Amino acid sequence: MGTRGRKLTDKNTSSKKGEKLVKADLKFKMAISITLDNNYCFKQMRKSGLQKLDQFIKETVGKHLTISKVDDLFLRTKGPVKSKETIEGISRDVVHYGKDRSPFRIHGFYNDDGYFVIYQIDTNHTKHKE
């Protein structure tokens, strides 16, 4: 599974294998295929953070939602929705997911296989308060 970032859009795009990728049709899948940011990883989490991560997984992957539906429900639209960050030497579009007014945020990017690669688990929304 590759970890290079690719921008998924609502329009059809061709992949290397000649497949058509439609964001509205792709199931939301998550992966940990790189090392998590040291300040936003499992060792920093408390039990409540693990429970919030578990709830996010249940409400997204567990319900077999599409990427478009996850974006509708969880994409943060106030403040930085996407940011450019250099991760493992590659500039990537980082997406921030969270729900309602909960401080829980999960940051990552989409790889070539359509997986949301988790980069940071921000259980108390501290990233943009630094």
Side-chain angles (χ1 to χ4, degrees):
M1 175 168 38
T3 57
R4 289 190 356 205
R6 179 176 53 172
K7 188 174 182 180
L8 296 174
T9 64
D10 291 325
K11 299 177 182 175
N12 291 340
T13 57
S14 296
S15 72
K16 292 182 222 173
K17 300 174 187 167
E19 303 167 5
K20 296 286 186 183
L21 298 178
V22 181
K23 190 175 179 181
D25 296 336
L26 287 177
K27 296 290 183 201
F28 180 78
K29 303 175 285 185
M30 296 181 0
I32 298 175
S33 60
I34 61 168
T35 303
L36 296 177
D37 181 309
N38 199 36
N39 295 317
Y40 301 96
C41 60
F42 292 107
K43 70 181 177 186
Q44 302 295 341
M45 294 174 71
R46 296 177 185 215
K47 184 177 179 181
S48 63
L50 290 169
Q51 290 169 332
K52 290 173 188 173
L53 176 61
D54 183 61
Q55 188 64 34
F56 179 79
I57 294 168
K58 284 179 185 175
E59 292 181 16
T60 56
V61 178
K63 291 185 178 180
H64 309 286
L65 300 180
T66 64
I67 294 171
S68 292
K69 189 63 177 173
V70 171
D71 284 354
D72 289 344
L73 295 172
F74 297 97
L75 186 66
R76 300 316 306 149
T77 55
K78 294 181 181 170
V81 174
K82 285 185 183 177
S83 58
K84 285 276 192 191
E85 292 188 40
T86 302
I87 303 169
E88 294 189 336
I90 300 169
S91 179
R92 303 178 190 274
D93 288 325
V94 176
V95 179
H96 304 190
Y97 287 121
K99 188 169 185 183
D100 301 326
R101 302 191 70 56
S102 168
F104 177 82
R105 298 289 186 270
I106 190 165
H107 306 164
F109 57 91
Y110 284 93
N111 69 10
D112 289 336
D113 297 319
Y115 282 80
F116 177 73
V117 177
I118 300 169
Y119 171 60
Q120 297 172 324
I121 305 168
D122 186 0
T123 58
N124 295 309
H125 199 204
T126 58
K127 176 158 175 90
H128 294 106
K129 294 178 183 176
E130 295 173 343

